[in-house]
Amino acid sequence: MRSPSGFWGMLAPKRITMLRRLREHSAGGGRLVPLLILGAVFWLVGFGTLFRILKYFRGVEDIGDLLAAKLFGLILLTFFGVLLLSNVITALSTFFLSRDLELLLAAPSDWLQLYLTRLGETLLHSSWMVGLICLPILAAYGTVFGGGLVFYVVAAMTLLPLFIMLSALGSAVTVLLVSIFPARRAKDILGVITVGAAGGLVLLIRLLRPESLTKPEGFRNLGEFLALLRGPTSPWIPSEWSASATMEALQGSFDPFPLVLLWTSALGMVVLGAIFHARAYISAYTRSQTGAQRHPAGRRFSRSIARLFKPLGIRRSELVLKDVRVFFRDTTQWSQLILLSVLVVVYIYNISALPLYTEGVSFFFAHVISFLNVGLAGFVLSAIAARFVFPALSIEGPALWLLKSSPLDARDLLWTKYWVGTVPLLIMAILLTIGTNLLLEVGWLMMTLSVITIAAIAFALSALALAFGAIYPQFKSENMAQISTSLGGLLFMMAAVSLVGIVLVLESWPVLTILRRRMFGMALTQESVIIAVLGGLAALAVCTLATIIPLRVTLRRIEGFQV
Amino acid sequence: MIRLAKLKKNYGDFAALRGIDLEVSRGSLFGLLGPNGAGKTTALRIIAGILQPTAGRVIVAGHDVQRDPERAKSKLGFIPDRPFVYDKLTGQEFLKFVGGLWGQDGAEVDRRIDELLNLWELTDWRDELLETYSHGMRQKIIISSALIHKPDVIIVDEPMVGLDPKAARILKDLFRGFVKRGGTILMSTHTLEVAEVLCDSIAIIQNGLIRAQGSMEDLRAEAEAGEAGLEEIFLKLTGGQEVQELLEVLES
Ligand SMILES: Nc1ncnc2c1ncn2[C@@H]1O[C@H](COP(=O)(O)OP(=O)(O)OP(=O)(O)O)[C@@H](O)[C@H]1O
Ligand SMILES: [Mg+2]
């Protein structure tokens, strides 16, 4: 039976909610404007950077265009992976966790409509960000290579089926996972997904062998290198079809074949997805509702941990204890630690694989890389903070009535959330920096500088993440993993990356001074020392401010939380 | 013990509370009645310090909830209408956590936890995660959490929803015992029989204003209802003639 309201009717609750929220945002004004400005800045920076790179490629004879095409293929391949993962996670919300599902399943609406509306929702939620990022990239390619309107039309026509295909695939994978792993809460599947993603990542990195690029002697001659560039990464990955169609359009020729291939596979995927949905969804949904098995949580273990936090005082120790327990009992939370550790291992492995001490230029490279390493580590820490610290206040949403009606000082809550987030972040930051620096065999001065810097950055990032989480709280989120990908999370990432960038720029003075002294035997003039120290102090001051101000803001927001 | 003075609350343009004055004396059980959307939950949340009022004052145990929230809240236990709790804590851990929020721990709290779990026949469940509890079991845990820190005042929003008859009976005895020992309870409810037998005084609230207030006798006089029960008084005061029309709609 087809309900009279049809496709749009079924989307109505979400559609109306979204419109209302947008309207509230624009009515509030205050929050939307900085958002737009920040977005525009990042958009322009992205465009500018890519524009410079492409301009440079253009100037390189023979292989310049090939490099540009290769880069585009790699960008799309990355998006492909990111989108697949985010579709799987989003589909978990839209198909299994969403609270309106009970209502929809009880209503006499037909399964195809349910599938299509949920698919549409998955598509929108998981792809909007990538879609936005594509704009400056396409604009840069279009400007540098002089692609006209045709280029943009073709690009849109090839990206859209890619997005659709990935949503259908991601949703099907989610339904499959929920049906395979029986009698667990749907949320626990996230653990399986992350472990799978970690495995995929390792596989990808082993396949691409990034370290081979840094060892040019690995290629016997230029011809071999060219052959590598010219060949597609893999003819079986649809993102390559998109990339080649788009690049052809850019060079003025137009080949309809990839377009046809893309659209037919996208539609085919949706049809297959629908068939699979009809067969497997209802039983998967039933399974996803089966309660977690009763397993008494270890009491002895808890007792000894409880004693550990005693010195913090009753309130803080109970808050910390609660956070630790909730974290380790929630599969959606700790499973992402696995992904994280894989990332770290890959990272350290790549550093150790660098051919640094083979050719004599070692000292310079080691220090430059150690310096850049601080930036990279800062970026990794931002991502971790976005995932774990940013949602820390949002997840208290359902329990806010309790926290607010208790005589708990907002400061105690802030203290707990800040330190529970910061301590692991700090440990990770310092271990990562010391480890890579030891591998790079840098001097003690560089070691000290980078450890202090990364520690200061970690303090600031944690505070920033809390502040953005408090300004854009998601008290009603249905899926933990989605809190970080909200607007506020995006804004936090932008702020975090800017902070790391500023600190790096300021620190480049002391680093250059160290380098100059060692490399060219330049005497340290008083002036150069002062500049170096000033640069370092300025960086430290920026981090301190970026810690204190956000914490103040967070405290005020927490005091004002209402439910 | 609880005093509301000219309490107002607006949600945007909509005035949910339009000037409420109320006095609940120590050792009494005060019932807050009113139709859906009257503003009961809003008022209780403001008293518990969860919502900020637009205007007016709330005094609990001599402390202003807005100006001196920590002192006021330390005397207060709140039981919300929707039992949301931390899914990943066990019942026992949750109660211990709540005790900690009120700055209490040690053997005394452990003993009270045992007593309360025993009272609700939840002892077997003490080490199970709350996500496996049923609605009523969660409600029991939340009621216990409001008692764990020995408050002087309890604010409770529709306590009977989801409780089985036996648990409802236990709750009534619990509340009566609490009041007898000098505690104060402010309770909203739709179960008029409960209000009639349990409450010392009652206020009927409608459209954000207090429509009538006092003991059962006072309300009877107000409604000119003779010997009528609370249901008739309630319907008469809040415009119950629509009930007849409703029946007609359903039957047609
Ligand atoms: N967050 C909110 N935003 C806007 N209006 C609200 C909000 N919460 C409640 N209201 C409105 O305030 C009024 C009072 O709501 P409240 O929840 O206090 O009613 P209630 O007396 O508890 O009703 P019930 O008996 O149904 O529980 C209602 O008209 C409701 O629509
Ligand atoms: Mg209510």
Side-chain angles (χ1 to χ4, degrees):
Chain A
M1 193 172 90
R2 191 164 280 264
S3 60
S5 46
F7 184 82
W8 280 107
M10 219 150 163
L11 264 183
K14 300 260 167 159
R15 203 181 63 221
I16 295 168
T17 310
M18 200 132 103
L19 281 179
R20 292 249 161 83
R21 216 177 272 159
L22 270 183
R23 215 169 298 147
E24 271 165 30
H25 268 298
S26 41
R31 282 199 226 163
L32 197 67
V33 172
L35 182 74
L36 285 179
I37 295 176
L38 211 62
V41 167
F42 267 78
W43 206 90
L44 284 175
V45 168
F47 174 80
T49 319
L50 196 60
F51 184 81
R52 289 289 295 272
I53 294 176
L54 291 177
K55 221 29 194 216
Y56 170 76
F57 279 172
R58 256 228 124 159
V60 183
E61 265 178 56
D62 292 339
I63 60 168
D65 288 358
L66 283 180
L67 278 176
K70 195 79 191 163
L71 182 65
F72 193 67
L74 277 181
I75 292 175
L76 282 195
L77 186 65
T78 316
F79 287 170
F80 188 83
V82 170
L83 275 176
L84 188 58
L85 189 62
S86 80
N87 269 306
V88 169
I89 292 177
T90 313
L92 199 58
S93 307
T94 48
F95 282 94
F96 294 101
L97 300 179
S98 194
R99 289 191 195 111
D100 59 352
L101 275 171
E102 262 174 45
L103 192 66
L104 290 181
L105 287 175
S109 52
D110 84 42
W111 63 269
L112 187 61
Q113 265 175 28
L114 183 80
Y115 175 69
L116 289 178
T117 45
R118 293 285 135 166
L119 187 67
E121 237 174 77
T122 314
L123 178 69
L124 268 184
H125 277 296
S126 55
S127 309
W128 68 271
M129 224 189 275
V130 170
L132 276 185
I133 297 172
C134 278
L135 289 180
I137 294 174
L138 289 179
Y141 270 89
T143 330
V144 173
F145 290 91
L149 191 64
V150 181
F151 163 68
Y152 294 105
V153 172
V154 170
M157 292 289 287
T158 61
L159 286 178
L160 195 61
L162 199 62
F163 290 175
I164 294 176
M165 197 184 314
L166 283 167
S167 285
L169 185 63
S171 308
V173 168
T174 304
V175 174
L176 187 70
L177 284 176
V178 175
S179 347
I180 291 178
F181 294 92
R184 304 291 304 270
R185 291 236 157 187
K187 281 182 185 170
D188 293 341
I189 295 297
L190 262 181
V192 179
I193 295 171
T194 10
V195 174
L201 196 72
V202 173
L203 201 70
L204 190 70
I205 284 170
R206 291 321 310 143
L207 284 178
L208 290 178
R209 292 195 298 136
E211 73 273 10
S212 71
L213 284 177
T214 58
K215 285 185 194 140
E217 68 273 15
F219 298 105
R220 249 162 280 133
N221 51 41
L222 189 66
E224 203 171 300
F225 188 58
L226 277 180
L228 180 81
L229 282 183
R230 211 168 267 136
T233 316
S234 163
W236 296 106
I237 297 179
S239 73
E240 281 302 308
W241 312 339
S242 279
S244 67
T246 315
M247 286 317 286
E248 298 235 324
L250 201 53
Q251 266 128 27
S253 60
F254 175 68
D255 178 7
F257 178 66
L259 257 181
V260 174
L261 191 60
L262 275 166
W263 277 101
T264 45
S265 348
L267 292 182
M269 207 62 183
V270 172
V271 171
L272 282 180
I275 294 173
F276 181 60
H277 179 91
R279 294 249 164 116
Y281 177 66
I282 280 298
S283 69
Y285 181 78
T286 313
R287 276 195 162 147
S288 74
Q289 301 300 305
T290 318
Q293 67 274 58
R294 290 177 56 165
H295 52 82
R299 280 173 76 185
R300 231 177 310 135
F301 176 68
S302 296
R303 284 269 157 81
S304 47
I305 289 197
R307 217 160 291 140
L308 198 68
F309 295 124
K310 259 277 153 41
L312 299 176
I314 301 173
R315 290 210 173 96
R316 290 180 180 183
S317 77
E318 280 294 337
L319 281 169
V320 172
L321 208 57
K322 190 259 309 167
D323 273 358
V324 172
R325 279 180 179 141
V326 169
F327 182 85
F328 283 104
R329 284 177 193 166
D330 190 346
T331 333
T332 58
Q333 298 269 7
W334 61 258
S335 65
Q336 310 222 336
L337 282 181
I338 299 174
L339 187 65
L340 211 69
S341 36
V342 168
L343 265 179
V344 169
V345 168
V346 166
Y347 183 71
I348 291 184
Y349 172 78
N350 279 344
I351 293 272
S352 70
L354 285 176
L356 278 178
Y357 288 87
T358 47
E359 330 242 314
V361 274
S362 50
F363 184 84
F364 178 75
F365 266 132
H367 278 70
V368 168
I369 289 177
S370 164
F371 179 56
L372 293 180
N373 188 34
V374 172
L376 216 55
F379 186 73
V380 172
L381 291 182
S382 312
I384 299 174
R387 179 59 192 80
F388 294 105
V389 186
F390 176 78
L393 288 166
S394 294
I395 57 175
E396 295 294 340
L400 220 49
W401 63 267
L402 176 63
L403 298 180
K404 289 296 281 190
S405 70
S406 76
L408 177 74
D409 190 346
R411 266 186 213 104
D412 283 331
L413 185 60
L414 177 65
W415 186 94
T416 316
K417 290 294 175 188
Y418 184 64
W419 286 107
V420 167
T422 308
V423 168
L425 210 60
L426 204 59
I427 293 176
M428 170 121 182
I430 291 177
L431 284 185
L432 204 64
T433 314
I434 292 184
T436 43
N437 275 349
L438 286 180
L439 282 175
L440 291 167
E441 300 175 30
V442 298
W444 66 269
L445 207 56
M446 190 67 203
M447 179 70 102
T448 320
L449 189 70
S450 51
V451 168
I452 292 179
T453 310
I454 201 68
I457 288 181
F459 279 112
L461 285 181
S462 181
L464 272 175
L466 272 188
F468 276 95
I471 297 174
Y472 299 92
Q474 303 243 309
F475 289 135
K476 304 216 166 110
S477 176
E478 287 156 350
N479 183 349
M480 273 292 310
Q482 271 190 340
I483 295 180
S484 319
T485 60
S486 66
L487 210 66
L490 192 68
L491 283 180
F492 161 69
M493 275 312 278
M494 290 177 176
V497 171
S498 314
L499 174 77
V500 174
I502 292 172
V503 170
L504 278 195
V505 169
L506 290 173
E507 292 251 303
S508 61
W509 280 300
V511 173
L512 277 180
T513 316
I514 298 176
L515 280 181
R516 279 212 199 95
R517 195 184 68 147
R518 278 289 301 267
M519 298 253 326
F520 311 111
M522 276 158 97
L524 287 178
T525 60
Q526 206 173 2
E527 206 177 324
S528 69
V529 171
I530 289 178
I531 291 183
V533 171
L534 276 184
L537 285 182
L540 211 57
V542 168
C543 286
T544 314
L545 283 182
T547 310
I548 293 175
I549 297 175
L551 284 181
R552 287 254 167 90
V553 172
T554 314
L555 187 65
R556 225 173 311 128
R557 297 290 307 192
I558 291 180
E559 281 165 352
F561 278 163
Q562 301 208 7
V563 272
Chain B
M1 205 59 183
I2 306 175
R3 198 157 62 81
L4 311 186
K6 301 203 179 64
L7 194 64
K8 289 188 183 139
K9 174 71 188 178
N10 296 347
Y11 292 110
D13 305 331
F14 176 75
L17 296 181
R18 301 186 292 164
I20 296 230
D21 292 287
L22 201 72
E23 180 111 34
V24 181
S25 52
R26 175 189 290 275
S28 70
L29 208 165
F30 197 102
L32 205 55
L33 309 184
N36 292 135
K40 302 181 294 295
T41 301
T42 306
L44 296 184
R45 285 178 163 248
I46 292 175
I47 299 171
I50 298 172
L51 278 179
Q52 295 287 324
T54 311
R57 293 204 329 149
V58 180
I59 312 284
V60 172
H63 304 291
D64 188 313
V65 175
Q66 266 67 53
R67 292 210 201 112
D68 194 1
E70 263 135 65
R71 288 240 188 92
K73 287 175 185 177
S74 65
K75 305 275 188 230
L76 202 138
F78 176 59
I79 306 174
D81 51 348
R82 274 177 281 179
F84 279 127
V85 285
Y86 295 103
D87 276 348
K88 297 291 180 187
L89 292 188
T90 67
Q92 189 244 358
E93 285 166 355
F94 179 72
L95 292 178
K96 204 159 163 55
F97 170 70
V98 175
L101 285 182
W102 265 262
Q104 299 177 6
D105 69 348
E108 164 75 6
V109 171
D110 289 339
R111 195 178 53 76
R112 291 175 68 80
I113 291 176
D114 288 341
E115 275 172 19
L116 283 164
L117 289 178
N118 198 23
L119 177 72
W120 296 116
E121 299 174 337
L122 284 176
T123 309
D124 286 347
W125 288 81
R126 60 183 294 151
D127 292 326
E128 301 290 338
L129 297 187
L130 287 169
E131 65 182 5
T132 60
Y133 283 35
S134 73
H135 178 91
M137 288 156 76
R138 283 164 190 242
Q139 185 73 358
K140 290 174 183 175
I141 287 288
I142 286 182
I143 294 170
S144 310
S145 79
L147 294 165
I148 202 80
H149 48 84
K150 293 202 160 191
D152 295 341
V153 181
I154 293 181
I155 307 291
V156 37
D157 201 358
E158 294 180 32
M160 301 299 172
V161 178
L163 292 185
D164 62 38
K166 185 172 175 196
R169 179 62 188 272
I170 295 178
L171 185 67
K172 280 185 223 161
D173 293 345
L174 206 67
F175 279 179
R176 245 188 239 122
F178 182 78
V179 172
K180 202 172 279 169
R181 273 178 271 117
T184 310
I185 296 180
L186 175 58
M187 169 175 86
S188 93
T189 183
H190 289 302
T191 335
L192 298 181
E193 308 84 71
V194 173
E196 196 164 356
V197 296
L198 218 53
C199 297
D200 306 312
S201 350
I202 288 170
I204 295 179
I205 176 171
Q206 190 177 21
N207 294 329
L209 283 171
I210 296 216
R211 179 77 181 71
Q213 181 179 354
S215 64
M216 277 296 291
E217 281 76 55
D218 298 340
L219 292 182
R220 273 198 196 104
E222 172 108 5
E224 297 165 346
E227 282 300 291
L230 189 54
E231 182 170 344
E232 269 145 70
I233 299 174
F234 180 87
L235 292 179
K236 197 156 181 191
L237 286 175
T238 57
Q241 49 275 36
E242 290 105 42
V243 175
Q244 201 52 47
E245 291 159 28
L246 183 73
L247 279 178
E248 279 158 24
V249 170
L250 284 178
E251 275 158 14
S252 67

